[in-house]
Amino acid sequence: MTDISSTRLETGVLRPPADLPEPVLTPNAKTVLETRYLHRKEGSTLLETCGGAFWRVANDIARGSAEWESEQAIEQLKRDYYMAMANLEFLPNSPTLMNAGKQNGLQYSACYVLPVPDSMAGIFETNKRAALIHQSGGGTGFAFSQLRPAGDIVGSTGGIASGPISFLEVYNASTESVKQGGTRRGANMGILRVDHPDILRFIYCKRDLNDRNLAAYEAASPSLSVEGRESLKRALLESQISNFNISVGITDGFMQAVSHDEEYELVNPRTGKVQSKLRAREVFDKMTQCAWETGDPGMVFLDRINAGPANPVPSMGPVEATNPCGEQPLYPNEACNLGSLNLAQFIKAPAARPSSNGHIPRPAEFIDWNRLERIVRLAVRFLDDVINVNPYPDDLIDHAVKANRRIGLGVMGWSDLLVLLAIPYDSEEAIELGEEMMRFINTTAHDQSERLAEVRGPFPNWSESIYRNGKPIRNATVTTIAPTGTISIIAGCSSGIEPLFALVFDRRGSLDGKLSLETNPMFVEIAQREGFWTEELARQVRSTGTARNVAAIPEKWQRIFGTAHDIALEWHVRMQAAWQKDTDNAVSKTINLAHDASVEDVARAYLMAYETGCNGITVYRDGCKEGVLHVGSGELDELEAVEASSLAGHEELGEEHFDSAIAARPRALRGLTYEIETPLGTAYITINHDEESQPFEVFVNQGRAGSDLAPLSVAIGKLASLVLRMPSSLSPRTRMEEMIRKLRGLGGATGVGFGVDRTRSLPDALARVLEEYLEAVQEPFPSTVATSSPAPSAAPKPARKGFQLSGAFCPDCGMALVHEEGCDKCFSCGYSRC
């Protein structure tokens, strides 16, 4: 029997057995696997190849069948699991790829729902459990609907309840403090029923400053321009509940009241009594206005979810919450084990569909249905095995998961398949094919779950389930269309059922850190085959953000290569609804809107989602959040994205010794960012300079959002910028030298480092960085391309890390994030917030 130890190289590196091929991966897929997934010794030396990682996962998951299969059958199952992954036909969710077989104690599930009971002890017990889940790599969903409203009575103390929004903020702050799996912060979903008395506060919680941030804003705003005040408010808002997606739990009664412009009742969950009424259409308008402004809240149609297969054991319900991206409704303490089929792999003839003897084949005739069926059955078995070997975070979750054995088989590569079949995403043909494919996948997956139940038995709660009068089934739910942000990069395919986000985008090289254009390989291949490919065309498409209305591209291919922001909202919603028809749980999809979309467009999308049978909806208007990629880069440099926290347009201060206004900020500046340790933790300090190499502005970031340290560090940077930009006979470099002299050596009770490298405080750290910066950036600053570094001095200091400021927002690689499938993700390095 082949085991892990027998497939290690002499160097100790794990690989698949010699008769199994290594997977054929794109360079970026290899980089993502090596950076995020492969097993390493003490975080450095690789202990496995990419194929070795798939073999590690296959070995571990196949153990889940050991109770029912012979050793020979398990050996074959390992190989089948391996080949499905190596051929990029099926991949499990990231936690399974990352953790299975490493014996690191981290779970294989991506998402959980935890209960939020109406008691102080229960609220903070859930907060503790959520922190442990985030620490070990999972995301969490919460329904705050059981919490009594703000101002209600607290019976045990006679005090006044602070309401669900205050505890939403508590959970957000806790998430901020816990890094997920040691690499990133966890993701959350917060849901409040539309009939909760605090619903308006919930709707506005990402639009209106809370008390703490309002105080900070009011203290700082008098010294800022109108633009500066707006930038500060936006930054404070986006840090306020930054680790949560939020959605309103919508009832059928509310939607009927919207339709008839009637009032509906708000019910106190503590007493069950009607507390007040609101006009439904006004609440709906407030939701759509806030979604237009901030991307939140989304809508989750609770009554529809609870009337369908996503509520498989009604006696356990109702379902009140979903996982962070909304595609997985769950009962309290449940998790789901997810995986996705790469649809682009199941095509017989990837070419423009020819006619033969007058017959134009239907798109379905080009699908390899037999191979798809085989992989669907294998994937269902894989996900059921995951449940058996998964080291869940606690006993409550372990029991809840095994009682219902939910799995969620979904898809990715849908847009790639459409391109290979020469079908526009926004077409009736695409809608019909999507419905046909999901119906086949769901029917096959349910049949396979029933076959497993014949051998392994049904899920324990089957006798109480909606399936109790039919054939026994192994899994309470079987299909889910989940986000595939990072695994789609590994598979080299498009995400989920989303349209292509972009045809050309910037990719940061894994070794030299330089930017390069990356063009969709199908676009290059087809453009070369059809005779319209040029490098200049790629630059033009990058500039406009679309292939449509580009004269050099034939109209047929303009249609076929439509990207997310080319697709009208009606087609986005219809596509989601088409896949939802035969999906047990829900569909993760973002309805992307152009920046100039109206509030009425958002409202139209929300109403259409309800009318067409979706279980929920997320609308994202391009540019409604800072730090997320806008489509179309124009002719602008990457650095021109860096505008946050600027002091542009500062009004004249009117002091007698000022003979002119403070310098206005140019649209784009070059600069350096430094990382430096201080007694209070790591600080990141950015210094930008103008075309004459004169320092122009300083940004200082230290401390978690919401901490007392964070606004102080920001204030230090703003004051330093003010000194540099105020009118003076002294040059900015001379003023910076004076700042260094004033700040150097300031210290408190503690320090970090030793001897001359000892840093005594954040001001002392700033002085050290300013000093290093002046040595590194000489006058005059040379004219360079955007990815070049400033000219260093003859003997630059190597002690701290400096890098060209890119104006990007991924915390790992620095590239811009995009919003897709309900979460933010980086197409450059594979980072995602879901």
Side-chain angles (χ1 to χ4, degrees):
M1 185 174 179
T2 306
D3 60 18
I4 289 283
S5 60
S6 66
T7 55
R8 288 195 181 276
L9 301 169
E10 293 180 1
T11 57
V13 176
L14 177 68
R15 58 174 175 78
D19 62 328
L20 295 179
E22 280 278 343
V24 178
L25 304 169
T26 66
N28 202 50
K30 291 179 182 178
T31 299
V32 169
L33 279 168
E34 290 173 358
T35 303
R36 300 180 179 280
Y37 292 81
L38 300 192
H39 202 182
R40 293 177 178 270
K41 181 180 181 180
E42 298 176 352
S44 55
T45 306
L46 283 174
L47 296 177
E48 59 191 11
T49 64
C50 293
F54 291 159
W55 183 244
R56 160 178 55 79
V57 173
N59 267 267
D60 192 53
I61 302 307
R63 292 189 299 111
S65 289
E67 183 179 343
W68 303 280
E69 303 289 351
S70 65
E71 286 191 6
Q72 184 178 3
I74 295 296
E75 178 67 16
Q76 183 58 50
L77 192 59
K78 292 178 185 178
R79 291 167 173 267
D80 291 343
Y81 285 169
Y82 174 81
M83 289 305 301
M85 292 185 285
N87 288 335
L88 306 177
E89 297 166 315
F90 165 79
L91 288 175
N93 57 202
S94 285
T96 301
L97 282 178
M98 288 177 176
N99 300 322
K102 286 184 180 178
Q103 307 302 317
N104 58 11
L106 301 181
Q107 87 279 350
Y108 307 169
S109 295
C111 51
Y112 301 79
V113 161
L114 298 181
V116 186
D118 189 31
S119 71
M120 194 64 71
I123 290 168
F124 282 93
E125 174 63 22
T126 293
N127 193 29
K128 180 193 75 175
R129 295 177 62 210
L132 295 175
I133 288 171
H134 294 157
Q135 186 181 41
S136 59
T140 45
F142 309 94
F144 293 92
S145 302
Q146 298 303 317
L147 300 186
R148 67 194 69 191
D152 200 28
I153 296 171
V154 179
S156 60
T157 64
I160 300 299
S162 56
I165 313 308
S166 66
F167 293 110
L168 175 64
E169 293 176 348
V170 168
Y171 282 22
N172 183 76
S174 178
T175 302
E176 188 75 21
S177 301
V178 180
K179 283 196 172 182
Q180 188 178 37
T183 58
R184 59 192 174 104
R185 295 185 187 96
N188 301 295
M189 170 66 84
I191 292 178
L192 193 71
R193 284 179 61 97
V194 72
D195 53 12
H196 191 284
D198 284 359
I199 189 59
L200 293 182
R201 298 185 186 186
F202 182 78
I203 290 170
Y204 286 140
C205 72
K206 285 197 171 187
R207 199 198 76 163
D208 292 347
L209 293 172
N210 61 23
D211 291 344
R212 182 181 64 251
N213 284 338
L214 181 61
Y217 174 79
E218 290 177 343
S221 60
S223 63
L224 300 176
S225 66
V226 173
E227 274 189 354
R229 288 194 292 272
E230 182 59 31
S231 293
L232 175 60
K233 182 178 180 180
R234 197 165 182 176
L236 289 170
L237 282 172
E238 292 188 2
S239 68
Q240 193 161 282
I241 308 180
S242 57
N243 299 302
F244 269 84
N245 293 327
I246 64 168
S247 285
V248 176
I250 299 296
T251 64
D252 289 341
F254 173 79
M255 294 305 293
Q256 291 167 8
V258 170
S259 176
H260 296 100
D261 194 16
E262 295 173 344
E263 290 186 331
Y264 76 105
E265 297 174 342
L266 302 183
V267 179
N268 186 321
R270 180 180 65 84
T271 64
K273 295 180 179 180
V274 174
Q275 183 163 311
S276 59
K277 292 183 179 181
L278 291 174
R279 186 162 295 279
R281 193 169 291 177
E282 291 179 1
V283 175
F284 180 83
D285 289 346
K286 288 176 169 61
M287 277 191 277
T288 55
Q289 176 69 37
C290 287
W292 182 87
E293 291 182 23
T294 70
D296 284 298
M299 299 176 82
V300 174
F301 302 120
L302 292 179
D303 285 348
R304 176 170 294 149
I305 287 171
N306 282 293
N311 178 21
V313 187
S315 62
M316 296 182 64
V319 170
E320 294 186 301
T322 73
N323 72 321
C325 293
E327 81 283 354
Q328 191 59 60
L330 295 168
Y331 300 129
N333 297 312
E334 277 193 311
C336 194
N337 300 291
L338 308 174
S340 298
L341 304 159
N342 179 2
L343 297 179
Q345 295 293 330
F346 300 98
I347 189 169
K348 293 178 181 176
R353 289 144 45 209
S355 61
S356 175
N357 299 323
H359 169 64
I360 300 178
R362 291 179 59 247
E365 295 180 42
F366 291 87
I367 305 300
D368 189 341
W369 297 102
N370 291 333
R371 188 156 64 95
L372 179 58
E373 178 182 354
R374 181 174 64 81
I375 298 301
V376 168
R377 293 188 183 279
L378 187 69
V380 168
R381 186 168 181 167
F382 182 105
L383 295 174
D384 188 66
D385 281 348
V386 169
I387 294 172
N388 298 331
V389 298
N390 194 342
Y392 293 102
D394 61 41
D395 291 340
L396 289 172
I397 290 171
D398 188 284
H399 175 76
V401 169
K402 291 176 179 174
N404 289 330
R405 304 190 67 85
R406 285 189 197 250
I407 61 172
L409 179 61
V411 301
M412 55 186 169
W414 171 236
S415 285
D416 296 336
L417 179 70
L418 291 177
V419 169
L420 293 171
L421 293 173
I423 300 174
Y425 187 95
D426 46 350
S427 68
E428 294 294 340
E429 212 170 12
I431 298 293
E432 292 171 5
L433 182 61
E435 287 185 5
E436 186 173 0
M437 293 201 77
M438 193 61 214
R439 183 165 55 248
F440 178 86
I441 292 168
N442 195 55
T443 300
T444 304
H446 273 257
D447 183 72
Q448 179 61 27
S449 186
E450 290 170 358
R451 294 186 187 188
L452 288 176
E454 293 174 2
V455 177
R456 304 181 179 191
F459 64 95
N461 286 332
W462 173 78
S463 62
E464 303 174 39
S465 75
I466 59 176
Y467 302 106
R468 64 185 179 275
N469 296 322
K471 293 183 67 174
I473 191 168
R474 179 68 171 167
N475 311 99
T477 63
V478 178
T479 49
T480 302
I481 297 181
T484 59
T486 310
I487 64 170
S488 63
I489 293 177
I490 295 171
C493 69
S494 57
S495 299
I497 62 164
E498 299 285 5
L500 299 172
F501 191 85
L503 298 179
V504 186
F505 51 90
D506 290 320
R507 183 83 79 187
R508 185 179 294 284
S510 60
L511 296 178
D512 57 16
K514 292 182 179 178
L515 299 176
S516 62
L517 291 185
E518 181 158 317
T519 306
N520 184 293
M522 291 187 298
F523 180 68
V524 176
E525 179 183 350
I526 290 171
Q528 290 176 339
R529 186 185 76 209
E530 299 290 320
F532 61 87
W533 169 257
T534 65
E535 292 289 343
E536 177 57 34
L537 174 65
R539 286 190 287 271
Q540 185 179 0
V541 170
R542 174 185 179 271
S543 174
T544 62
T546 178
R548 295 190 175 177
N549 300 315
V550 175
I553 301 175
E555 184 176 351
K556 169 187 175 180
W557 296 108
Q558 289 185 32
R559 289 273 296 127
I560 290 167
F561 281 105
T563 54
H565 288 79
D566 296 324
I567 310 300
L569 72 87
E570 290 84 0
W571 290 105
H572 277 288
V573 176
R574 288 188 63 197
M575 187 64 75
Q576 179 175 337
W579 287 86
Q580 180 66 72
K581 282 183 181 180
D582 287 285
T583 299
D584 287 349
N585 292 300
V587 176
S588 182
K589 173 150 183 21
T590 297
I591 311 303
N592 288 103
L593 300 179
H595 180 69
D596 59 359
S598 66
V599 177
E600 290 71 25
D601 291 330
V602 177
R604 194 152 43 93
Y606 279 8
L607 290 172
M608 187 176 179
Y610 180 74
E611 292 163 358
T612 57
C614 296
N615 280 3
I617 183 171
T618 299
V619 169
Y620 187 83
R621 182 176 64 90
D622 186 39
C624 69
K625 291 181 182 178
E626 293 185 358
V628 181
L629 184 65
H630 296 199
V631 174
S633 58
E635 300 301 321
L636 305 180
D637 189 280
E638 283 291 319
L639 300 181
E640 293 175 332
V642 185
E643 299 179 58
S645 303
S646 75
L647 295 174
H650 202 294
E651 294 145 354
E652 190 169 330
L653 297 183
E655 297 292 338
E656 291 182 357
H657 57 282
F658 286 178
D659 52 17
S660 65
I662 293 174
R665 187 188 193 278
R667 178 166 172 76
L669 294 168
R670 289 191 174 94
L672 293 172
T673 295
Y674 294 85
E675 176 186 87
I676 185 170
E677 293 301 320
T678 80
L680 298 176
T682 304
Y684 296 91
I685 299 173
T686 298
I687 307 156
N688 292 333
H689 41 255
D690 60 21
E691 293 180 355
E692 285 76 39
S693 301
Q694 293 293 332
F696 191 85
E697 63 188 2
V698 177
F699 301 103
V700 182
N701 289 293
Q702 185 173 28
R704 305 286 188 192
S707 70
D708 291 335
L709 179 59
L712 291 176
S713 68
V714 172
I716 290 173
K718 288 184 177 291
L719 289 172
S721 299
L722 189 62
V723 170
L724 292 174
R725 294 169 62 177
M726 68 173 58
S728 171
S729 59
L730 299 177
S731 72
R733 292 181 70 89
T734 301
R735 280 175 267 173
M736 183 170 281
E737 290 170 352
E738 184 64 15
M739 277 193 275
I740 294 169
R741 190 175 71 82
K742 297 290 188 183
L743 298 177
R744 201 70 160 94
L746 291 178
T750 60
V752 62
F754 300 93
V756 295
D757 290 325
R758 182 173 179 81
T759 300
R760 300 173 58 85
S761 64
L762 178 58
D764 186 39
L766 176 59
R768 296 169 67 86
V769 166
L770 297 179
E771 185 176 49
E772 183 174 340
Y773 167 86
L774 289 179
E775 293 179 8
V777 179
Q778 303 299 307
E779 299 182 81
F781 189 71
S783 176
T784 60
V785 296
T787 55
S788 300
S789 299
S793 62
K797 293 183 180 181
R800 288 182 286 278
K801 292 181 279 186
F803 53 90
Q804 181 75 29
L805 187 65
S806 68
F809 302 92
C810 174
D812 286 3
C813 76
M815 293 303 295
L817 299 175
V818 303
H819 194 78
E820 190 178 61
E821 298 182 298
C823 66
D824 296 335
K825 66 181 73 169
C826 176
F827 281 143
S828 179
C829 73
Y831 168 87
S832 68
R833 290 177 176 164
C834 59

